Amino acid sequence: GEDVEQSLFLSVREGDSSVINCTYTDSSSTYLYWYKQEPGAGLQLLTYIFSNMDMKQDQRLTVLLNKKDKHLSLRIADTQTGDSAIYFCAERNTGGFKTIFGAGTRLFVKA
Amino acid sequence: NAGVTQTPKFQVLKTGQSMTLQCAQDMNHEYMSWYRQDPGMGLRLIHYSVGAGITDQGEVPNGYNVSRSTTEDFPLRLLSAAPSQTSVYFCASSPSGTGGSGANVLTFGAGSRLTVL
């Protein structure tokens, strides 16, 4: 079945870049998403990428997709303390009714 | 525009009790779903609905019941609560159940934290 994997923790210094990695198993994944969860809150969409794209950039966020290796990454440039949160990778395929989430990567930003 | 509203935010139950977590959305979304979030396991899909009168099981449906009598509401029922159901529950909705031409991004509620003693 479909599976999404990501490391559980990442710690960076304020001002550095953060790179959060994700791998998925479903080769028919059409959309891949990054959601952010702040403490005590629900998830909010950060960005998504369609499977026919290799890269998407949105201000400080860069998403890279390697379809061959089924690898997705999220780069946050100039990481701030306000970026401390849990980041979830997720995937869904065309016609699929289910969005499958990874376990989430908790990002710690040290001042 | 309230988005997705979940109630209650917190609930403590004793083993064997039943309760209903409420979820309502005001965006006219066809698709609604319930996830549970447990440490180290991410979000797991419990049940989902692609429209009024249509529901289906997700990854972890046992012990939970749902119905979808209106487009707006998608309650989750715990029939006989067990300690293993201690978790944070999220309701999420999206414009439609299938891909169509859009990314069908999920909009989440703020969550309901349930403790079963």
Side-chain angles (χ1 to χ4, degrees):
Chain A
E2 307 111 330
D3 195 20
V4 177
E5 293 194 356
Q6 49 184 132
S7 54
L8 295 182
F9 300 100
L10 176 66
S11 179
V12 300
R13 291 194 182 277
E14 191 174 23
D16 288 349
S17 291
S18 308
V19 179
I20 302 172
N21 295 300
C22 167
T23 57
Y24 58 97
T25 58
D26 188 355
S27 58
S28 63
S29 293
T30 304
Y31 286 99
L32 295 127
Y33 310 84
W34 285 103
Y35 285 83
K36 178 183 181 182
Q37 183 184 32
E38 297 189 353
L43 280 69
Q44 287 192 307
L45 179 77
L46 267 183
T47 186
Y48 66 88
I49 189 167
F50 190 55
S51 59
N52 67 354
M53 298 168 65
D54 297 327
M55 185 180 91
K56 182 178 181 182
Q57 191 149 3
D58 183 3
Q59 299 183 327
R60 293 190 297 123
L61 304 179
T62 303
V63 178
L64 296 177
L65 175 60
N66 181 329
K67 281 193 70 178
K68 176 175 168 290
D69 295 337
K70 299 192 188 69
H71 182 268
L72 183 74
S73 68
L74 172 70
R75 179 178 180 270
I76 306 172
D78 187 24
T79 310
Q80 302 298 306
T81 53
D83 294 323
S84 294
I86 303 176
Y87 292 81
F88 289 91
C89 174
E91 63 91 11
R92 187 179 58 80
N93 57 21
T94 302
F97 298 124
K98 304 174 186 178
T99 301
I100 306 299
F101 286 83
T105 299
R106 187 179 290 271
L107 175 64
F108 297 94
V109 182
K110 296 176 285 189
Chain B
N1 192 342
V4 177
T5 303
Q6 290 183 234
T7 56
K9 287 192 184 305
F10 301 95
Q11 182 72 48
V12 179
L13 290 178
K14 293 182 180 176
T15 297
Q17 288 184 315
S18 63
M19 78 155 299
T20 300
L21 299 177
Q22 302 290 346
C23 176
Q25 53 91 9
D26 60 0
M27 299 171 284
N28 203 32
H29 283 173
E30 289 184 357
Y31 182 88
M32 297 185 74
S33 56
W34 278 101
Y35 287 87
R36 58 177 288 173
Q37 182 180 20
D38 301 293
M41 302 188 75
L43 274 75
R44 291 181 291 169
L45 183 64
I46 304 171
H47 285 285
Y48 64 94
S49 167
V50 297
I54 306 169
T55 64
D56 207 344
Q57 296 181 348
E59 301 171 74
V60 288
N62 292 340
Y64 306 95
N65 212 347
V66 291
S67 60
R68 184 97 179 268
S69 55
T70 67
T71 300
E72 296 77 20
D73 300 297
F74 190 46
L76 178 72
R77 296 183 187 85
L78 281 72
L79 308 170
S80 177
S84 61
Q85 294 178 302
T86 294
S87 188
V88 181
Y89 292 85
F90 288 99
C91 179
S93 70
S94 67
S96 78
T98 58
S101 59
N104 249 336
V105 171
L106 289 170
T107 299
F108 281 82
S112 298
R113 184 176 292 273
L114 175 67
T115 301
V116 183
L117 303 175

